[in-house]
Amino acid sequence: AAPPPSARGEPATPPPPQPLQYSLLLQHLVGDKRQPRVWDPAALGGIPCPPKSEEQKMVERVMESCPFKAALACVGGFVLGGAFGIFTAGIDTNVGFDPKDPYRTPTAKEVLKDMGQRGISYAKNFAIVGAMFSCTECVVESYRGKSDWKNSVISGCITGGAIGFRAGLKAGVIGCGGFAAFSAAVDYYLR
C-alpha cells in the first residue's frame, strides 16, 4: 500500500467541488436547515433603546387595561356623539318647531336649546355604546389571548344584542347580527 500524498511530502489535492443543487439551496434558505436570526435593530443601525423604567411599565399597564380603554372610548363617544347631535340638529328643519303654532318662526334661543338637548342625548348614547363595545372587546381579547377580527365581531354581537334585547328577543338577535356585521366591516377596513 502506498502512503498518502501528504506523508510523501506532496501537496494534498482537494476533492473536486460538487455541483450546487437547487433543492439543497432551498433547504438552507426556506427549509429545515434554515438558521433563525435574532432581529436586533441596533445591529442594523437603528436607534438604541434604553430599558424601560418601572414608571414607564406601570403607565403601559394602565393604558392597556380594560377600564382605561372603556373610559377612553366613553369620553371619545361622548365628544363624537355630541358633535353628531349638534350637526344633525343644525340641518334639521324641525328644530324649534312648535306643533301648536306651525307658522311661528322659532327664536335663536329655542333653536340653540333644542340643538343642545339633541347633542347631549346623542353624546350619552354614543358614550354608552362606545364604553360597552370597548370593554367587551378588551375582555374577549384577554380571554382569547389573540388580537384579530374575531374579537370585534364577538364583542359587536354582545353589545348589539344587549342594546337590542331591551326591545325583545327578536330585536336582540337583529342587533347582535347588525352590530357584528358593522364591526367586521370596520375592522376589515381598518386592518
Side-chain angles (χ1 to χ4, degrees), residues 123-147:
K124 288 191 292 187
N125 291 335
F126 273 54
I128 290 169
V129 170
M132 283 178 65
F133 180 80
S134 178
C135 189
T136 306
E137 184 177 31
C138 186
V139 168
V140 168
E141 184 177 326
S142 298
Y143 178 75
R144 292 185 68 230
K146 297 178 184 177
S147 179

Side-chain angles (χ1 to χ4, degrees), residues 36-100:
R37 284 192 199 184
V38 177
W39 186 75
D40 184 16
L44 300 174
I47 299 172
C49 184
K52 294 179 182 176
S53 67
E54 288 301 317
E55 291 83 14
Q56 288 174 325
K57 291 178 183 177
M58 183 185 69
V59 168
E60 282 183 0
R61 282 193 299 269
V62 167
M63 291 182 75
E64 289 295 321
S65 68
C66 292
F68 181 80
K69 288 180 179 180
L72 189 65
C74 184
V75 171
F78 188 84
V79 171
L80 183 66
F84 188 70
I86 291 172
F87 173 75
T88 57
I91 61 172
D92 189 4
T93 58
N94 292 330
V95 172
F97 177 73
D98 185 12
K100 296 177 185 173

